[in-house]
Amino acid sequence: MYNAKSLKAEEFISDEEIRETLEYADANKDNLELIDKIIEKAKLRKGLNHREASVLLACENEERLAEVYDLAKQIKQDYYGNRIVLFAPLYLSNYCVNGCVYCPYHAKNKHIARKKLTQEEIIKEVTALQDMGHKRLAIEAGEDPVNNPIEYILECIDTIYSIKHKNGAIRRVNVNIAATTVENYRKLKEKGIGTYILFQETYNKKSYEQLHPTGPKHDYAYHTEAMDRAMEGGIDDVGLGVLFGLEMYRYEFAGILMHAEHLEAVHGVGPHTISVPRVKRADDIDPNDFDNGISDDIFAKICALIRVSVPYTGMIISTRESQKVREMVLPLGVSQISGGSRTSVGGYAEPEAEEDNSAQFDVSDQRSLDEVVGWLIKLGYIPSFCTACYREGRTGDRFMALCKNMQILNCCHPNALMTLKEYLEDYASEETKKLGIEMIDRELEKIPNPKVKQTAYEHIHDIAEGKRDFRF
Ligand code: SAM
């Protein structure tokens, strides 16, 4: 029985409800009267439920879809402005006891090089990441209670936060590790993590069990209920995601929105972010083995519909996507991207030899962080290295309130400009620096509150003089 407030996976992600939703969407995909009503509701910027959003996903009317895309662009502009937050993944260990059939870390893969960073190696990796200009990391690890116990992850977080190299610092560590206990989530929270990210991979229980045949990740309920445990452990910023390609995208789309509705219903706050990874080629993995790959157009449609359905949830696109695809979806509501990423364990300090492959997947966007920053500026986006919200305690519903009140221009926008200025001073190439300084001059003028504008001007000046780490 479907119940968004239930704490049981099979009740808040009800297979029956998803199937009925898909039938309803099919039955109404040409019902323009209903579609217009749903679009009108979306224009109120309070989001759509999984049924309404699924009708729009099924709709193929070009005129109506153009309206949805325009609305997605408008919502992005209103709530997020033209900022794009940058981060990098840091792979700590690829030891894994699970049998996920799409992932090269699966336990039976005997030819991938298994690696686990020592604390000395982490210092090297983080120093290399700081020298690129990164301030925000997402740490990644396989699931292995012997090789990567929670104590190891906690120690790594301490090490990462402790490294202050030149003007560099990692100011926010997001964590993408396997589902764990309330007690462990509490320990992660105490270490000062940002978002806890866990991809559902697929919301379809039957497929989930087939795709995760062995290991602790096989347990669908334990995995699906992880965000509730994370919130019980005090983590109020959680990041959802499905791995597109594994199951029918329409099923996943309804599932992820139901998950968001569930978090809102139970904890009073929806997901902080949604990621939209697609299955990629990797050691021992051929994406063509999975039947449900989606075209770039469908991918863009999903991004636009996530934006209008959950306007206050950030959306993340990784370097699994090419420059071309990223360019297509950026205006549709993306708020965070990774840049200069390496998906191998230890790949930042020393690029890995080919025969030594420890990578999780092939990276499509292989540009350096400086190239990504320059590209964003040329497209009119402000590359942001901001980590202010969580350091100011604006997490969970307090962050949502900022977003809902559209205070972005007086807060996130100047923070983005100040962190961009730091990047330009410390790490940028001459060309990027020139483009960035012109952008900052233009963008400072847009700050509506005169006091905030004046303070931002002063801080930008102070950064040029060598001071660092200002925030609103
Ligand atoms: N082991 C943890 C877990 O089970 O959640 C950490 C996550 S793993 C390092 C990060 C994510 O990469 C996975 O959740 C999965 O969605 C994604 N991934 C795995 N194999 C992939 C592939 N071949 N292509 C693209 N993404 C993949």
Side-chain angles (χ1 to χ4, degrees):
M1 188 62 108
Y2 175 52
N3 176 5
K5 284 199 168 163
S6 166
L7 292 175
K8 285 200 184 126
E10 284 180 66
E11 290 177 358
F12 65 81
I13 307 289
S14 145
D15 177 65
E16 194 186 355
E17 171 63 17
I18 298 185
R19 290 187 193 283
E20 278 177 22
T21 297
L22 299 186
E23 276 169 31
Y24 174 76
D26 278 334
N28 285 291
K29 72 187 185 55
D30 299 315
N31 180 347
L32 294 185
E33 200 181 319
L34 176 69
I35 287 167
D36 285 340
K37 265 195 201 152
I38 297 174
I39 294 176
E40 282 314 305
K41 182 178 172 196
K43 285 183 183 164
L44 301 175
R45 290 156 164 66
K46 294 209 165 68
L48 296 176
N49 64 36
H50 60 276
R51 283 209 173 208
E52 295 158 341
S54 293
V55 172
L56 296 187
L57 185 61
C59 166
E60 284 168 0
N61 180 299
E62 293 204 358
E63 220 176 284
R64 299 309 193 279
L65 288 180
E67 229 182 302
V68 169
Y69 282 50
D70 285 347
L71 181 60
K73 288 179 190 166
Q74 199 53 52
I75 291 178
K76 172 176 158 62
Q77 197 54 38
D78 291 348
Y79 289 113
Y80 300 87
N82 53 346
R83 296 164 306 112
I84 298 287
V85 170
L86 287 158
F87 76 98
L90 172 60
Y91 283 77
L92 302 178
S93 166
N94 63 4
Y95 283 92
C96 195
V97 297
N98 285 315
C100 317
V101 301
Y102 49 83
C103 179
Y105 292 177
H106 69 82
K108 282 197 189 137
N109 185 355
K110 299 293 176 216
H111 39 84
I112 193 168
R114 298 284 169 180
K115 291 188 190 168
K116 169 187 167 181
L117 296 178
T118 62
Q119 300 309 306
E120 288 69 35
E121 286 167 332
I122 288 181
I123 295 175
K124 284 192 193 150
E125 286 289 278
V126 172
T127 304
L129 282 156
Q130 289 186 7
D131 277 341
M132 291 160 75
H134 278 294
K135 299 282 187 275
R136 178 189 286 246
L137 300 182
I139 56 173
E140 314 269 342
E143 179 168 15
D144 186 327
V146 175
N147 286 298
N148 326 324
I150 192 72
E151 291 71 26
Y152 169 71
I153 305 289
L154 299 172
E155 192 185 359
C156 293
I157 297 170
D158 276 342
T159 304
I160 294 168
Y161 278 135
S162 73
I163 303 162
K164 302 280 179 298
H165 166 68
K166 297 186 183 162
N167 281 336
I170 298 303
R171 299 173 180 159
R172 176 172 178 138
V173 176
N174 296 334
V175 175
N176 184 359
I177 60 165
T180 185
T181 58
V182 175
E183 197 192 348
N184 286 347
Y185 286 124
R186 199 162 281 129
K187 290 180 184 166
L188 287 168
K189 174 73 185 172
E190 281 161 10
K191 287 291 170 202
I193 69 159
T195 313
Y196 171 66
I197 300 163
L198 180 69
F199 299 159
Q200 178 64 31
E201 322 298 7
T202 174
Y203 282 96
N204 184 315
K205 183 174 183 230
K206 202 161 154 240
S207 305
Y208 182 95
E209 288 173 349
Q210 284 163 0
L211 290 159
H212 306 95
T214 53
K217 195 165 170 178
H218 178 73
D219 187 337
Y220 175 83
Y222 190 73
H223 189 83
T224 311
E225 293 159 11
M227 294 313 192
D228 296 293
R229 292 194 300 279
M231 288 199 165
E232 200 184 327
I235 299 175
D236 51 4
D237 282 347
V238 298
L240 305 181
V242 288
L243 188 54
F244 284 103
L246 301 180
E247 241 300 334
M248 268 172 52
Y249 69 90
R250 294 176 57 206
Y251 193 103
E252 306 296 19
F253 179 75
I256 204 163
L257 289 184
M258 284 164 77
H259 201 171
E261 288 161 24
H262 162 73
L263 295 177
E264 180 91 46
V266 175
H267 307 280
V269 55
H272 188 66
T273 54
I274 288 184
S275 300
V276 284
R278 290 196 276 187
V279 181
K280 297 279 305 176
R281 183 171 301 284
D283 185 81
D284 209 34
I285 305 297
D286 180 353
N288 297 322
D289 290 346
F290 303 95
D291 300 335
N292 295 299
I294 53 174
S295 68
D296 292 347
D297 286 343
I298 294 291
F299 186 66
K301 192 174 181 185
I302 290 171
C303 291
L305 282 170
I306 289 177
R307 181 68 306 127
V308 304
S309 305
V310 280
Y312 317 122
T313 298
M315 203 181 345
I316 303 181
I317 302 280
S318 75
T319 54
R320 290 178 184 86
E321 300 301 332
S322 64
Q323 173 179 346
K324 184 170 150 261
V325 171
R326 293 173 123 197
E327 238 160 80
M328 176 168 76
V329 295
L330 276 177
L332 298 176
V334 172
S335 55
Q336 277 189 47
I337 65 170
S338 45
S341 302
R342 300 270 187 288
T343 62
S344 48
V345 182
Y348 293 106
E350 281 161 43
E352 178 168 78
E354 211 158 291
E355 66 278 8
D356 213 18
N357 187 15
S358 71
Q360 200 190 17
F361 54 82
D362 288 358
V363 166
S364 291
D365 186 342
Q366 301 209 347
R367 293 171 297 165
S368 67
L369 182 63
D370 188 69
E371 286 170 314
V372 171
V373 169
W375 161 75
L376 287 173
I377 297 173
K378 282 186 206 148
L379 292 174
Y381 297 105
I382 309 171
S384 173
F385 294 89
C386 181
T387 53
C389 270
Y390 113 98
R391 293 166 79 213
E392 289 290 320
R394 291 190 296 260
T395 59
D397 52 358
R398 279 149 300 186
F399 167 78
M400 295 291 173
L402 180 85
C403 197
K404 287 178 188 171
N405 295 332
M406 291 174 51
Q407 277 308 306
I408 300 281
L409 268 177
N410 281 322
C411 190
C412 307
H413 183 254
N415 281 336
L417 296 176
M418 294 189 301
T419 55
L420 173 60
K421 177 70 175 172
E422 290 185 338
Y423 175 83
L424 299 176
E425 290 295 321
D426 291 336
Y427 309 105
S429 63
E430 278 311 309
E431 192 199 342
T432 305
K433 190 168 179 178
K434 186 170 169 293
L435 290 169
I437 288 173
E438 286 164 8
M439 167 169 259
I440 291 173
D441 286 344
R442 277 195 313 273
E443 294 287 335
L444 276 170
E445 285 307 309
K446 295 186 188 162
I447 302 173
N449 181 318
K451 218 171 140 214
V452 174
K453 188 195 265 187
Q454 179 58 31
T455 310
Y457 263 105
E458 286 165 16
H459 289 340
I460 295 276
H461 178 265
D462 290 343
I463 293 168
E465 299 287 303
K467 293 202 185 135
R468 294 290 175 271
D469 203 11
F470 296 102
R471 61 178 180 267
F472 286 99

